[in-house]
Amino acid sequence: MHTSYDVIVVGGGHAGCEAAAAAARKGAAVALLTFDRNTVGAMSCNPAIGGLGKGHLVREVDALDGLIARAADAAAIHYRMLNSSKGSAVQGPRVQADRKRYKGAIQAMLAQQSGLTLLEGEAVALATEHGRVTGLILADGTALTGRAVVLATGTFLGGRLFRGEERNEGGRTGERAATALGHQLRDLGLPIARLKTGTPPRLDGRTIDWGALEEQPSDSRNWTMSPLSSTRVLPQLACAITRTNEATHQIIREGLGRSPLFSGAIEGRGPRYCPSIEDKILRFGDRDGHQIFLEPEGLDDRLVYPNGISTSLPTDVQQAMVRSMHGLDKAEIVVPGYAVEYDHIDPRALDSSLAVRAMPGLFCAGQINGTTGYEEAAAQGLVAGVNAAAHARDEMPMILDRASSYIGVMIDDLVLQGVTEPYRMLTARAEYRLRLRADNAETRLVPIGLEHGFVGEERRRRYAARQDRRGLIDAELRRCMTASEMARVGAAVRQDGARRSLFDWARFPEVGRALLFDLAPSLRDAPEDLRDEIWEDAHYAPYLERQDAEIADLRRNERVTIPAAFDYRCIGGLSAEMIERLEGARPDSLAAAGRVRGITPAALAAILVHLRREAA
Amino acid sequence: MADTIFALSSGAPPAGIGVIRISGGDAATALSALAGRLPEPRRASLALLSDPSDGAPLDRALLLWLPGPGTATGEDMGELHCHGGRAVVAAVERALGRMAGLRRAEPGEFTRRALANGRMDLNAVEGLADLLAAETEQQRRAALLMTEGHFSRRIEGWRLRLLDLSAMAEAALDFSDEDDVPDAAIEARIGEGIAALAQDVAQVLAAPSAERLRDGVRVVLAGPPNAGKSTLLNALVGRDAAIVSDVAGTTRDRIEVPAALGGVAFLFTDTAGLRAEAGDAVEAIGMDRARAAMDAADILLWLGDPDALPREDAVPIAAQSDRMDHRGHPGLKLSALSGEGMDALARLLLEKAAALLPREGDYALHARQRQGVTALLRYLGQAGRQADLLMLAEDLRQARRAIDTLTGQAGTEDMLDRLFAGFCIGK
């Protein structure tokens, strides 16, 4: 076996696969280490990819030539654009994916990637020399050498499953390996904390009375997750909706005493935005019911995922609860739901390239950083993979800032604020979301990917052609017309005597698409995705201009750098809590320090004054 | 570690006492070096100060040792209450200046350190600047409210309400796929919340500004030549600020005189007399300036024809009642020479000024604060008109940023520089 690589990726989940593929695209020799090659690319929780905020991440990973969107399209059996009635900046594309086909698509893409070797085995320890990573030791004694290691190990650190009174340590063999690596991470001084997440029972779709339930059909338009997927390939299935009711709530209340969530057995914090059904009943008991989506797991798969009843109640209570709902009175549970508690590292130990500050060459991505979700994992994996390859090849790291992408927002949040619950992407987290739309991810990110040299030929060609086309349309939209000229061609705009470019006129409600297309035929002839992007750009333009000044300000404060060894304790007047947060987050700029929670303007002024004094 | 700074923080010598403040890590060393011992913390004690270089006695002074961080600047501090003679203060300052690590404070540096160490916020600093400059009771009260953080607490209240509104908007945007977030009802509640907050903000904005309080209410005396404007001005300010003669057109330029009446600051302006034809170019310029002053006046006292008021709100004055016949004149009859009507005029000025100045218990906003509150109100207004929830959320975000500007988060550096440039030393 070949044992020398540039980058070694541990873990074949969504983060690990993107990391390995991205590092290989950047030209590194990559090993992807997994327990079992058949589980590579598995979706371990719900069968959906995308959604509000998450759909943005999928499009961004795709723009950086990642795998997730193309695999989602290859496996999609249901498409839905969330928030379609709201502004495009908060619309979230989502698909239900066929599990087997998704995994198959990922494995096929990895197999085609040159420079990437899939290895089966179990990591025991990092090999280090003078405080730097030099490789990885496997359980069978094999020593792999590599200048960078990416840990994308999901919940393997101290995983514990809970269901009613049952407990299951980690749920897999090889605790020794996890423990040894876990100890090594602790010895590095990495702060470790515990988080909790849960999953609902899986139902046998043949035992559901579909006819009795409200149906939610797949979106009829023909959009795809990746612009490189030319069309939807699989037959589309409908999801169905049912609700909990008073009887369901009564069953849950009676079972609460047997739930590990309330017996104190689980110490880790669960996510507020994805509560267990026990939590929902306890906190919102006055509601007469909660919506439950029944999502098929595949075309030729009988399993159905009831989204909304994540639970760790005992199996018998789960069965009674499920059967109390409309359409599910005969439903069979195939796999009962459970809660899982796991260790994660405090992501404030990482820098913006996802490198562990205390150990050069070590990168972390995915759930190990305290996030939840395939999309969050994939996005971090891509960034960690690219930067691990950059590290191995002595190239500049790729740092995405908050104004560039949701990926940048997420990483900045993680490395500055840390996590108190599993971190999930929300559009509300992105202050510049009017410019960070799912529909303009290519325009925003392909150039960054090209600059860092990890975008494939197909994507590059598509981007170049699209930019050429956009250039022609932009030129046509720069043509100016007066208000009276607009009136002559049929737009009942206010006669304010103003002369505006067609791009500016586009946002006036009196103008409308049809007229604009007449005035700018190149726009009409453009592909739908480009047409929509330009249309939205025009509508948000006044807001984007206002934000430009804000972003310039942000970038100016980002240039006021804070040395890594800056001593916050020498600044009198910072509270102990502020000092602790700043020392935990180690912001690298004044802008970043200002984003650390609880840092007041006065504290920021104090830091600035001390920085200036030190510089003087 | 920062330098230790010192400065005379009481008035210019000679004075009864001279208070020299020392702030920084070497404050204790400096006190011990001068007094031969470190007094008990926060207890005044008497000591003979000697020059550490030659042991020569300097002064017998009251000594205070205030260990940080619970001090005005957040650092270790010392205070020397010396005799306020020029030579005494100079000798003590010289001795301090020779010590290693000590230097004379730059203007505003004590306050700057208080801000840097989180002992004051920006609004409080601005309030302090006003407090130190306050000459009238009213200025003092308004400045104290600002220093004590009344305005900051109000802003904090706004910020919390804004956060609630934003949170509702974001819930409707990010969790619209969940049936637990009721869309339509929540949008109505957001709308009501925005309107209520905007009303509150508008109320603060409608209150009079700090500049008027600081610079005085502008009272302009205007009228034809030789109407008695200069005599009246001199009577109002209680001294001969303007030259008075019987020669028409004696006053050729504007004369501005600040004066306090009944505890309120006024800025009185005497102007060149107005007539149809200017005698020469200089008089023409003087008349232009007079008109400009009249336009900018808060209160315009008109000593001319009561039927030809230059401004609707001008106050007609029947001046020189000791020698003129004012029958039928609707204005206030007064004589600066005999004092007739002067009390009535003072009452009238105070009454009008009361409407222009912050009421007791109000704080007044500075131009910078006014700008921030205006921006806040503008974004709230925009948010209230948005049909698109996404744009509404963006407007609310901008409103939050406007609040950050008020407490000094954005553009920190520029704002600090401006703020401290005109600041008095040693406070």
Side-chain angles (χ1 to χ4, degrees):
Chain A
M1 185 171 85
H2 187 69
T3 59
S4 173
Y5 299 92
D6 293 326
V7 175
I8 305 163
V9 178
V10 185
H14 301 273
C17 291
E18 295 288 357
R25 286 201 301 281
K26 200 166 158 66
V30 181
L32 173 56
L33 181 71
T34 174
F35 282 120
D36 174 358
R37 63 172 66 233
N38 291 315
T39 63
V40 167
M43 295 196 289
S44 49
C45 192
N46 68 334
I49 289 180
L52 295 176
K54 290 165 172 276
H56 287 78
L57 287 174
V58 173
R59 289 270 170 87
E60 289 181 354
V61 170
D62 186 62
L64 293 171
D65 220 12
L67 315 174
I68 189 169
R70 281 176 284 171
D73 280 327
I77 50 176
H78 181 102
Y79 283 82
R80 189 162 182 81
M81 187 63 79
L82 300 178
N83 257 353
S84 55
S85 67
K86 300 207 168 72
S88 75
V90 288
Q91 291 179 7
R94 186 175 73 183
V95 303
Q96 305 295 334
D98 177 302
R99 274 183 205 284
K100 267 177 281 182
R101 287 176 172 83
Y102 182 84
K103 192 167 80 175
I106 290 282
Q107 289 175 5
M109 280 190 273
L110 291 179
Q112 275 167 17
Q113 177 64 51
S114 63
L116 195 162
T117 310
L118 199 60
L119 300 178
E120 279 187 337
E122 199 178 302
V124 191
L126 294 166
T128 63
E129 221 170 87
H130 308 302
R132 302 178 70 87
V133 166
T134 55
L136 195 68
I137 315 294
L138 307 191
D140 65 3
T142 310
L144 301 178
T145 62
R147 292 190 65 191
V149 171
V150 179
L151 294 182
T153 48
T155 60
F156 95 113
L157 288 170
R160 238 165 107 81
L161 308 186
F162 295 83
R163 181 187 301 128
E165 295 85 3
E166 301 168 56
R167 303 285 178 274
N168 194 346
E169 291 293 333
R172 63 179 179 231
T173 54
E175 265 314 299
R176 186 176 52 85
T179 312
L181 197 49
H183 282 170
Q184 202 179 11
L185 293 179
R186 280 179 209 265
D187 290 346
L188 278 176
L190 294 185
I192 310 267
R194 279 181 94 65
L195 287 173
K196 171 240 138 183
T197 186
T199 181
R202 309 304 154 86
L203 308 180
D204 183 339
R206 296 169 303 186
T207 61
I208 294 173
D209 182 4
W210 296 99
L213 294 169
E214 180 191 341
E215 199 177 67
Q216 191 176 56
S218 178
D219 187 320
S220 61
R221 290 166 57 205
N222 202 37
W223 55 269
T224 50
M225 291 303 269
S226 170
L228 291 190
S229 312
S230 49
T231 186
R232 298 178 181 179
V233 288
L234 298 178
Q236 302 293 295
L237 300 183
C239 293
I241 302 172
T242 182
R243 293 181 72 81
T244 61
N245 53 47
E246 201 32 62
T248 322
H249 298 179
Q250 194 50 40
I251 293 165
I252 294 167
R253 272 189 219 107
E254 282 163 12
L256 281 183
R258 295 169 65 201
S259 164
L261 285 177
F262 300 95
S263 66
I266 295 182
E267 356 161 354
R269 283 274 291 274
R272 284 168 300 177
Y273 41 78
C274 180
S276 63
I277 188 71
E278 294 97 300
D279 258 335
K280 288 191 201 175
I281 300 310
L282 208 67
R283 286 165 49 206
F284 306 103
D286 51 332
R287 300 281 156 79
D288 55 358
H290 299 268
Q291 227 171 23
I292 307 300
F293 289 88
L294 300 174
E295 303 171 349
E297 299 214 344
L299 285 179
D300 38 24
D301 191 332
R302 66 194 168 97
L303 288 187
V304 167
Y305 185 96
N307 201 343
I309 50 169
S310 162
T311 181
S312 54
L313 287 165
T315 308
D316 57 307
V317 182
Q318 291 190 27
Q319 184 69 66
M321 164 180 92
V322 164
R323 291 206 172 158
S324 70
M325 284 183 262
H326 185 58
L328 300 183
D329 45 336
K330 297 197 179 62
E332 292 287 349
I333 290 180
V334 184
V335 187
Y338 56 88
V340 54
E341 196 187 46
Y342 55 97
D343 283 347
H344 72 96
I345 67 160
D346 180 343
R348 294 181 304 170
L350 309 175
D351 68 17
S352 308
S353 72
L354 294 181
V356 174
R357 271 197 303 265
M359 169 134 312
L362 182 60
F363 294 78
C364 292
Q367 261 174 315
I368 189 173
N369 289 343
T371 62
T372 173
Y374 308 145
E375 304 82 355
E376 287 83 352
Q380 291 171 66
L382 184 137
V383 171
V386 164
N387 287 328
H391 176 86
R393 295 159 58 92
D394 294 319
E395 291 170 14
M396 290 293 288
M398 174 181 72
I399 308 290
L400 298 173
D401 72 19
R402 299 184 75 87
S404 74
S405 56
Y406 275 71
I407 303 179
V409 170
M410 170 175 67
I411 292 177
D412 189 61
D413 283 346
L414 290 173
V415 305
L416 278 183
Q417 318 295 0
V419 293
T420 52
E421 65 183 333
Y423 182 96
R424 174 191 143 172
M425 199 67 236
L426 304 168
T427 72
R429 297 191 196 273
E431 50 276 71
Y432 308 118
R433 70 178 160 202
L434 292 181
R435 70 182 60 219
L436 307 184
R437 307 191 308 266
D439 71 17
N440 68 2
E442 283 182 279
T443 308
R444 289 185 282 121
L445 294 174
V446 176
I448 297 178
L450 287 169
E451 184 192 327
H452 287 272
F454 61 90
V455 168
E457 186 52 24
E458 187 188 1
R459 179 104 36 194
R460 191 198 63 73
R461 270 206 311 274
R462 175 186 148 86
Y463 175 74
R466 197 168 186 269
Q467 283 306 97
D468 288 349
R469 187 144 202 175
R470 174 150 195 169
L472 295 176
I473 299 170
D474 285 346
E476 203 167 85
L477 291 177
R478 274 196 292 273
R479 182 155 69 92
C480 286
M481 288 181 70
T482 63
S484 56
E485 284 167 342
M486 288 303 287
R488 272 201 293 282
V489 296
V493 297
R494 199 165 65 87
Q495 291 303 303
D496 57 0
R499 207 175 129 80
R500 296 184 177 88
S501 68
L502 288 176
F503 184 79
D504 285 338
W505 280 119
R507 69 170 177 273
F508 285 71
E510 301 86 354
V511 176
R513 277 199 187 213
L515 177 63
L516 195 71
F517 289 169
D518 287 346
L519 295 169
S522 65
L523 183 61
R524 175 183 25 222
D525 301 340
E528 196 181 350
D529 64 295
L530 182 57
R531 217 159 59 188
D532 287 348
E533 181 181 332
I534 294 173
W535 183 254
E536 293 298 330
D537 282 348
H539 276 76
Y540 290 127
Y543 284 85
L544 297 187
E545 277 163 29
R546 199 163 73 184
Q547 286 189 347
D548 282 340
E550 204 178 312
I551 290 171
D553 223 39
L554 166 82
R555 294 198 164 137
R556 195 169 54 237
N557 275 342
E558 247 153 25
R559 280 196 296 272
V560 181
T561 56
I562 302 178
F566 188 71
D567 182 9
Y568 292 99
R569 287 170 197 275
C570 79
I571 306 178
L574 292 188
S575 69
E577 191 187 2
M578 282 194 233
I579 291 175
E580 191 189 324
R581 283 196 171 143
L582 288 164
E583 286 182 340
R586 287 266 148 225
D588 50 14
S589 70
L590 193 67
R595 290 194 296 270
V596 174
R597 203 169 298 134
I599 302 307
T600 62
L604 212 56
I607 295 169
L608 177 62
V609 168
H610 282 256
L611 282 173
R612 279 224 217 119
R613 193 178 292 149
E614 281 192 357
Chain B
M1 194 64 200
D3 291 343
T4 298
I5 53 171
F6 65 89
L8 178 69
S9 46
S10 54
I17 60 168
V19 179
I20 296 171
R21 285 174 120 185
I22 307 166
S23 177
D26 290 327
T29 321
L31 282 180
S32 320
L34 285 175
R37 66 187 168 85
L38 195 61
E40 202 182 321
R42 294 171 208 288
R43 277 287 168 89
S45 65
L46 206 59
L48 180 70
L49 305 185
S50 318
D51 191 330
S53 62
D54 55 10
L58 295 167
D59 188 21
R60 189 168 291 277
L62 209 58
L63 215 59
L64 275 172
W65 158 233
L66 308 164
T71 62
T73 58
E75 301 174 329
D76 286 351
M77 290 190 76
E79 281 189 17
L80 306 167
H81 297 214
C82 310
H83 291 95
R86 250 186 262 276
V88 175
V89 170
V92 175
E93 285 191 328
R94 226 175 9 250
L96 285 169
R98 277 200 296 266
M99 292 181 195
L102 263 70
R103 65 170 169 80
R104 198 175 281 276
E106 286 159 26
E109 203 172 358
F110 282 89
T111 311
R112 189 168 191 133
R113 288 190 178 189
L115 182 73
N117 292 328
R119 301 291 298 172
M120 300 176 86
D121 80 358
L122 209 58
N123 292 306
V125 169
E126 281 171 334
L128 180 65
D130 283 353
L131 192 60
L132 298 174
E135 289 180 356
T136 68
E137 260 306 283
Q138 217 173 359
Q139 290 171 343
R140 184 189 65 74
R141 280 195 300 264
L144 190 62
L145 283 175
M146 191 59 87
T147 317
E148 296 284 303
H150 285 247
F151 180 58
S152 298
R153 279 199 288 282
R154 182 129 195 196
I155 294 181
E156 182 57 18
W158 290 347
R159 202 177 66 84
L160 294 177
R161 283 163 73 182
L162 253 182
L163 284 179
D164 280 350
L165 292 168
S166 281
M168 283 196 266
E170 299 301 343
L173 285 173
D174 259 336
F175 296 103
S176 67
D177 52 337
E178 316 225 348
D179 65 337
D180 286 350
V181 178
D183 247 27
I186 214 170
E187 286 188 35
R189 265 168 57 209
I190 295 169
E192 289 160 19
I194 290 173
L197 182 57
Q199 200 179 359
D200 245 34
V201 175
Q203 202 184 347
V204 167
L205 202 57
S209 76
E211 277 70 21
R212 192 70 80 249
L213 195 61
R214 194 181 58 210
D215 303 335
V217 176
R218 286 188 296 263
V219 180
V220 172
L221 292 73
N226 225 355
K229 300 183 293 294
S230 301
T231 311
L232 180 56
L233 177 92
N234 288 344
L236 282 168
V237 305
R239 64 190 171 90
D240 286 343
I243 302 169
V244 178
S245 81
D246 283 338
V247 180
T250 303
T251 304
R252 307 196 68 164
D253 199 354
R254 304 184 348 183
I255 297 172
E256 296 193 335
V257 190
L261 279 186
V264 176
F266 286 95
L267 183 68
F268 293 102
T269 306
D270 186 16
T271 59
L274 300 172
R275 57 178 169 175
E277 296 280 324
D280 56 37
V282 176
E283 189 182 354
I285 295 170
M287 281 164 55
D288 283 346
R289 290 190 178 174
R291 287 193 192 93
M294 288 159 64
D295 287 343
D298 295 319
I299 303 173
L300 177 59
L301 300 181
W302 178 245
L303 283 72
D305 178 358
D307 296 326
L309 292 181
R311 261 169 53 175
E312 249 180 52
D313 60 349
V315 181
I317 301 286
Q320 299 173 335
S321 65
D322 50 304
R323 66 178 193 192
M324 304 282 274
D325 179 9
H326 284 311
R327 260 174 297 180
H329 195 297
L332 180 65
K333 292 182 186 47
L334 59 82
S335 162
L337 292 180
S338 73
E340 183 202 346
M342 287 303 286
D343 284 350
L345 177 61
R347 273 200 304 280
L348 181 140
L349 289 175
L350 284 172
E351 198 176 295
K352 288 203 172 277
L356 294 165
L357 291 171
R359 281 181 305 278
E360 191 157 339
D362 272 3
Y363 35 78
L365 300 189
H366 273 271
R368 183 188 68 82
Q369 291 162 340
R370 204 155 259 282
Q371 228 169 24
V373 177
T374 307
L376 172 62
L377 190 60
R378 187 172 66 242
Y379 290 125
L380 286 175
Q382 277 179 24
R385 288 189 298 276
Q386 289 289 4
D388 181 343
L389 193 61
L390 177 61
M391 301 295 193
L392 181 147
E394 169 69 7
D395 285 328
L396 288 182
R397 188 180 73 82
Q398 294 287 357
R400 293 204 312 269
R401 264 171 59 79
I403 283 198
D404 284 349
T405 325
L406 278 175
T407 49
Q409 184 142 26
T412 313
E413 213 169 341
D414 299 347
M415 191 263 319
L416 283 181
D417 287 345
R418 263 212 320 277
L419 187 79
F420 287 105
F423 219 81
C424 154
I425 191 170
K427 296 298 175 339

